[in-house]
Amino acid sequence: QMLSESLSLQRLVNDLLDLSKLQSSDFVIEMQELNLCDILSDVARSVSHLAQDKRIEIRQEYDTMSLLVLGDYGRLRQMFFIILDNAVKFSPVGSKIDISLKDRTVSIIDHGKGISDGDLPYIFDRFYKVRSEENKSGSGLGLAIAKQIADRHGVEVLVSSRLDVGTEYKMKF
C-alpha cells in the first residue's frame, strides 16, 4: 500500500514537472525531421505489451510508410502513448484499437466505454478525471500533457466519443 502510494505520488510529481516544462515558453523543444510512421509503429509495439493482459488487438493502417514531420521524437511518442494507454485502460477485454494514418491525420479509435458529453469538453484540463474504476490510478495529467505536446508541434487534436460505443482521437499534422 505504502509503496504504491509513493509510486503514484512520484508519477504525479513527474507529470506536473513535465506539464509545467511544456507550458513554459522558455522550454525549447528540439525539432528534427522525423518519420511519423516510425513513431506510431514504435508506440503501437509498446502499447501492445500492455494490451496483452486484456487481449486487446492493436491494428495499424497507414496510407504511407513515410510521412516526414518536424518534431521531437520522444515528445510525440509520449503524446501517442498517453492516448493509446488511455484507450487500453477504458477498452473492454478482447476488443480492438485502431491506429490509422490517412491524409496526414492520425486517428486512434477504441471501442471502450466512451466519454460523456458532459465530460468531453474538460478531458484536456489538468487533474480532470472521469471518476471510474479504470481511472483510479492515473494522475489526471496525461491528456493535459498530450495536448501541450500537440500544441507545441502545431498539431490539431479533435476528440469525438459516444458512451458505450467508443472514442476517437484525431491528430492533424
Side-chain angles (χ1 to χ4, degrees):
Q1 186 66 32
M2 193 69 181
L3 181 65
S4 73
E5 273 177 32
S6 70
L7 278 175
S8 61
L9 197 59
Q10 184 66 52
R11 197 162 46 222
L12 178 63
V13 170
N14 289 341
D15 286 353
L16 270 172
L17 288 170
D18 236 9
L19 191 58
S20 63
K21 224 182 341 194
L22 285 162
Q23 284 174 331
S24 156
S25 52
D26 300 333
F27 178 65
V28 179
I29 286 188
E30 295 297 322
M31 294 290 189
Q32 292 172 341
E33 198 170 74
L34 307 164
N35 181 357
L36 194 63
C37 302
D38 291 345
I39 305 176
L40 288 171
S41 305
D42 178 0
V43 174
R45 209 171 28 249
S46 302
V47 174
S48 60
H49 294 304
L50 296 173
Q52 273 169 353
D53 295 343
K54 291 175 80 173
R55 300 196 311 282
I56 292 170
E57 184 192 344
I58 310 243
R59 301 186 293 195
Q60 301 170 70
E61 191 179 329
Y62 306 154
D63 66 357
T64 173
M65 280 329 285
S66 177
L67 176 61
L68 296 179
V69 297
L70 272 182
D72 177 310
Y73 190 99
R75 289 296 178 182
L76 288 173
R77 187 185 184 289
Q78 182 183 17
M79 175 183 79
F80 291 127
F81 186 86
I82 288 166
I83 293 169
L84 276 163
D85 186 45
N86 269 1
V88 169
K89 196 181 347 182
F90 293 107
S91 287
V93 171
S95 61
K96 294 171 173 52
I97 294 171
D98 293 299
I99 305 172
S100 72
L101 171 61
K102 190 171 191 276
D103 302 331
R104 300 188 66 88
T105 299
V106 176
S107 292
I108 295 175
I109 302 176
D110 68 50
H111 304 281
K113 53 193 306 187
I115 305 163
S116 72
D117 290 345
D119 285 319
L120 204 55
Y122 307 106
I123 60 169
F124 293 115
D125 293 359
R126 281 189 300 184
F127 300 122
Y128 190 82
K129 279 172 70 172
V130 175
R131 298 198 185 289
S132 70
E133 190 52 35
E134 298 91 346
N135 218 14
K136 60 180 188 293
S137 65
S139 68
L141 291 168
L143 286 176
I145 291 170
K147 181 78 170 77
Q148 283 296 321
I149 294 170
D151 290 351
R152 277 301 194 93
H153 284 81
V155 173
E156 185 188 356
V157 183
L158 302 169
V159 189
S160 56
S161 190
R162 284 173 57 202
L163 279 179
D164 300 320
V165 177
T167 302
E168 175 174 17
Y169 285 84
K170 274 190 165 150
M171 285 145 285
K172 298 184 179 189
F173 280 82

